[in-house]
Amino acid sequence: MNRLDHRDPLVFDTHELGRRPGSMREVSRTLQAPEGFGIEDVIGVPVGSEIALELRLESVVEGVLVTGTAEAEVTGECVRCLEPVEDELDVDFQELYYYPETDERGRATSQDDESDEDEEETYRLEGDFFDLEPVLRDAVVLALPLQPVCREDCLGLCSECGALLNEDPDHHHDAVDPRWAALQGLSAGHGDEGDEKTSDTREGLAENQEK
């Protein structure tokens, strides 16, 4: 039973190939990106944005070989400065969709063979149709950067105040070496004590003059 919806823009019909090895068909299609075409909370193809597909469908002994390219816009967030990232993605992919009744060696399969092969990631035609979505999603996700940056030399954010260093490369804070902090405290303490002694001396001299 065919469970695929032929109205789905990522479902394609191979009927015209007629299971004649060597026959070929080219397909161009622009569609709206579904959910899940990206790395969550990092970067991906926005839902509803356009994906342009160029496909070549080739009939072979085992099934239909699908070779194609996809172009799409991706958006995300720079991992260094957290600014928005926009880029163009161009990916290539290829996958063989097996006829339902054949295995990877082109032989007819029994029900027992099918149960064994279900454990492997094998794509199959359903009638004359195939679903490109899982193959396309894998190709897009694998092509995305795990750590996108707005530019290669992005300076990121100041660790002290969060200022954007790309806008102010000379930004810095005067940091006190913690190794000297204790000495500065001692110096300040001695200074206060010295002031008290000087004040006492002045008061003593004033009393002697009065006598």
Side-chain angles (χ1 to χ4, degrees), residues 1-6 11 124-126 129-131:
M1 180 179 179
N2 185 10
R3 295 168 296 176
L4 297 180
D5 184 355
H6 68 276
V11 171
R124 293 187 177 278
L125 295 169
E126 293 192 19
F129 296 91
F130 68 87
D131 184 5

Side-chain angles (χ1 to χ4, degrees), residues 9-146:
L10 283 170
V11 171
F12 293 82
D13 189 357
T14 67
H15 177 73
E16 293 183 7
L17 296 178
R19 294 200 179 190
R20 298 184 301 273
S23 59
M24 184 185 71
R25 177 188 173 206
E26 293 184 346
V27 180
S28 298
R29 184 175 297 182
T30 299
L31 51 94
Q32 293 185 336
E35 295 182 357
F37 273 56
I39 303 172
E40 188 175 1
D41 298 329
V42 179
I43 192 170
V45 181
V47 177
S49 64
E50 289 189 349
I51 299 179
L53 294 175
E54 295 290 338
L55 304 179
R56 184 175 72 247
L57 313 182
E58 298 177 82
S59 179
V60 295
V61 174
E62 301 93 340
V64 176
L65 181 65
V66 179
T67 305
T69 62
E71 296 180 1
E73 299 287 336
V74 296
T75 60
E77 187 178 81
C78 177
V79 296
R80 297 179 187 171
C81 68
L82 307 183
E83 289 293 298
V85 172
E86 295 183 0
D87 200 0
E88 294 183 359
L89 185 69
D90 189 349
V91 297
D92 300 323
F93 54 89
Q94 186 177 72
E95 189 63 49
L96 176 60
Y97 287 81
Y98 291 93
Y99 293 129
E101 68 278 8
T102 60
D103 65 8
E104 287 83 349
R105 293 168 297 280
R107 303 180 309 182
T109 58
S110 65
Q111 292 183 351
D112 292 338
D113 293 332
E114 289 177 356
S115 62
D116 292 338
E117 290 179 11
D118 285 343
E119 299 178 0
E120 302 178 5
E121 188 174 5
T122 301
Y123 296 100
R124 293 187 177 278
L125 295 169
E126 293 192 19
D128 292 322
F129 296 91
F130 68 87
D131 184 5
L132 186 65
E133 182 171 343
V135 172
L136 180 59
R137 179 186 289 109
D138 289 348
V140 169
V141 172
L142 289 174
L144 292 172
L146 294 176

